[in-house]
Amino acid sequence: MLALSFLVKERIQQKASCPLLSARDIRLLIIAMLLNDPDAVDRRIAQMDIRHEQRRKDIERYYRENDTDSANDTG
């Protein structure tokens, strides 16, 4: 329960800067921080940014495709 509470708080706090933040992202960042390697943290953040950009594009494409499907269904 405590871990879930932490994840929810982090997602809420980071919503503006990182709206697609997942539990996996948080877990990977915590591991990198525990290794006490600043380069590992930077690499994880860069990977996360790439993954989030790709996910955002997929979400936009999904809604674009569904928008055109609904326009074709009306008539």
Side-chain angles (χ1 to χ4, degrees), residues 18 21 25 29 44-53:
C18 198
L21 189 66
D25 294 330
L29 285 173
R44 291 294 181 192
I45 291 173
Q47 290 172 347
M48 185 177 65
D49 288 340
I50 292 168
R51 202 169 46 251
H52 287 194
E53 180 65 21

Side-chain angles (χ1 to χ4, degrees), residues 3-61:
L4 182 59
S5 173
F6 174 76
L7 291 174
V8 170
K9 285 180 185 178
E10 284 299 310
R11 289 185 75 182
I12 291 170
Q13 289 175 352
Q14 303 300 325
K15 188 163 182 85
S17 64
C18 198
L20 297 175
L21 189 66
S22 68
R24 179 178 184 262
D25 294 330
I26 295 169
R27 182 179 62 88
L28 292 173
L29 285 173
I30 289 172
I31 292 169
M33 287 179 202
L34 289 175
L35 293 174
N36 202 22
D37 182 7
D39 292 334
V41 174
D42 292 339
R43 284 192 307 270
R44 291 294 181 192
I45 291 173
Q47 290 172 347
M48 185 177 65
D49 288 340
I50 292 168
R51 202 169 46 251
H52 287 194
E53 180 65 21
Q54 183 179 15
R55 186 168 175 220
R56 185 188 58 77
K57 287 179 181 178
D58 288 343
I59 291 169
E60 289 174 357
R61 182 175 33 254

